[in-house]
């Protein structure tokens, strides 16, 4: 029996969706505006996407963004998967405390995390300079910062994926003669794989979109796409920046759809 929704609730839901997505839709529409200045529509064009990729600073930012996103996703996926599997498989004294620490980077405001990492890098710089080493914020500081918050998302995704399964399947495989390695490779790992892939896609998307943590930890000579957009917007919003924002939205949406598709089989069984 289908339950009908109250009309007022439907109207309220559409208003909320409009509030959330109309600004994004405006940015995408005006990335095809033939006018360079203002919000006046002067006709449809795709030339701003060509202008965008002709800019050397944009190409450099794209390379920086993808390098950080790919490397940080690989490292955080491995570490986060190990943490998620450990929390699912083992019971130990500080398990609850470790779970709380995993959630903390997710709920802490980005600006707090960015400032704390900036201060940490400053202390490290002072220590290295006293030892005769030089240290500047840039690629490696941003990479470590992204790995720091990505691990939590991967670990929690893997743990939630395995939460519906007990250790009985693994123990049954051991009873049938499988070794610990084979029971892990042929039982646990296939069950965890959708969660691992979804966590990796989520980490990749977060790295692509991150501005606050990157802004605090990148220094003056290293820029990713979100930081580049911010520095350009301060001089005024132009259609090529709208085009860059639209491409970021497109990549993010594709990654989110892929992550949801990977988690869908578990939901359907539930």
């Amino acid at each position: 029996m289908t339950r009908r929704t109250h009309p007022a609730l439907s109207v309220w839901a559409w208003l909320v969706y409009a509030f959330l997505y109309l600004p994004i839709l405006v940015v995408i529409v005006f990335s095809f505006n033939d006018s360079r200045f203002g919000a006046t529509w002067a006709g449809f064009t795709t030339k701003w996407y060509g202008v965008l990729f002709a800019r050397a600073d944009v190409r450099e930012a794209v390379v920086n963004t993808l390098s950080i996103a790919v490397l940080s996703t690989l490292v955080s996926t491995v570490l986060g998967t190990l943490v998620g599997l450990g929390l699912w498989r083992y019971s130990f004294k500080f398990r609850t405390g470790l779970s709380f620490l995993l959630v903390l980077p997710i709920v802490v405001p980005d600006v707090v995390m960015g400032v704390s990492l900036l201060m940490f890098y400053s202390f490290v710089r002072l220590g290295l300079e006293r030892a005769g080493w030089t240290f500047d914020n840039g690629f490696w500081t941003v990479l470590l910062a992204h790995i720091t918050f990505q691990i939590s998302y991967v670990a929690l995704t893997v743990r939630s994926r395995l939460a519906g399964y007990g250790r009985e399947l693994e123990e049954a495989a051991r009873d049938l003669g499988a070794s610990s390695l084979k029971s892990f490779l042929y039982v646990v790992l296939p069950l965890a794989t959708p969660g691992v892939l979804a966590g990796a896609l989520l980490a990749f998307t977060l790295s692509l979109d991150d501005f606050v943590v990157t802004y605090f930890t990148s220094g003056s000579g290293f820029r990713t796409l979100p930081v580049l957009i911010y520095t350009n917007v301060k001089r005024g919003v132009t259609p090529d920046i709208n085009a860059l924002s639209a491409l970021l939205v497109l990549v993010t949406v594709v990654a989110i759809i892929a992550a949801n598709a990977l988690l869908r089989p578990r939901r359907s069984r539930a």
Side-chain angles (χ1 to χ4, degrees), residues 16-17 31 41 44 61 66 146 166 171 188 193 201 211 251 257:
V16 170
Y17 279 115
S31 69
W41 182 260
F44 180 85
L66 292 178
H146 282 213
E171 292 172 355
V188 178
T193 296
L201 284 172
F211 165 73
V251 173
I257 291 174

Side-chain angles (χ1 to χ4, degrees), residues 104-137:
L104 205 55
I106 297 175
V107 298
V108 167
D110 287 349
V111 66
V112 175
M113 193 160 185
V115 171
S116 61
L117 284 168
L118 178 63
M119 293 183 64
F120 174 73
Y121 290 147
S122 298
F123 284 120
V124 172
R125 183 185 301 109
L126 287 175
L128 290 177
E129 286 176 352
R130 288 172 183 170
W133 295 72
T134 58
F135 173 80
D136 293 317
N137 286 2

